[in-house]
Amino acid sequence: MTHPTSAEIAARIEDLYGAPLGGLEAHAQDQPPGMLAALIASHNDLAFAEQSISFHRDRLLRLAHPDRSIGPHEVSHLLDCTRRLAEAVAVRDAQAKTVTAVLKSLGRTSAPKSPAASVPALPARPVPHASTAPSR
């Protein structure tokens, strides 16, 4: 299963909000937490997972290089690196799946032409008059 990369997610966020990601990050820091902040955090988590995958993949390739001998000490490093690589892949896949689902649920909306036009007024209900007569 292929998932979108952090670069593809960044492009979707930029398209949704109509601004570069760097500017959106700065804007989100000045605002109360909301959808933009959540999307940026998810993007950053996805990007970190991708970096972690690259790092551990490269380290695993170095550890398992054919010219290198593998003894008990190296095996523990190979196992640790493999475990960390598997964790990074699982995090990447989960982040990509989640942020993709959220982005699919959002869409650009056009601003309403006037506030009165967007919400119809409710008809006024008659207010019952309070009686001054004592109740029986």
Side-chain angles (χ1 to χ4, degrees), residues 9-69:
I9 294 297
R12 289 182 187 176
I13 294 170
E14 290 172 345
D15 183 54
L16 182 66
Y17 285 90
L21 193 62
L24 291 171
E25 285 178 320
H27 176 71
Q29 291 175 355
D30 298 336
Q31 303 296 316
M35 184 56 68
L36 177 59
L39 288 171
I40 290 171
S42 293
H43 167 264
N44 292 341
D45 291 344
L46 178 59
F48 181 76
E50 289 174 344
Q51 291 171 350
S52 186
I53 289 169
S54 294
F55 174 81
H56 292 297
R57 181 189 58 226
D58 293 346
R59 184 165 184 255
L60 187 58
L61 290 172
R62 286 192 309 275
L63 289 170
H65 193 273
D67 295 339
R68 205 178 148 133
S69 65

Side-chain angles (χ1 to χ4, degrees), residues 58-113:
D58 293 346
R59 184 165 184 255
L60 187 58
L61 290 172
R62 286 192 309 275
L63 289 170
H65 193 273
D67 295 339
R68 205 178 148 133
S69 65
I70 298 179
H73 181 71
E74 289 78 19
V75 167
S76 66
H77 289 291
L78 283 165
L79 288 172
D80 181 59
C81 189
T82 303
R83 180 186 58 79
R84 290 174 188 256
L85 179 59
E87 288 172 356
V89 168
V91 167
R92 189 250 347 249
D93 291 353
Q95 286 294 336
K97 184 177 181 179
T98 300
V99 75
T100 299
V102 170
L103 284 168
K104 283 182 180 179
S105 74
L106 301 174
R108 292 187 100 181
T109 59
S110 57
K113 294 185 177 16

Side-chain angles (χ1 to χ4, degrees), residues 125-136:
R125 292 191 319 186
V127 178
H129 295 286
S131 172
T132 56
S135 62
R136 295 183 198 195

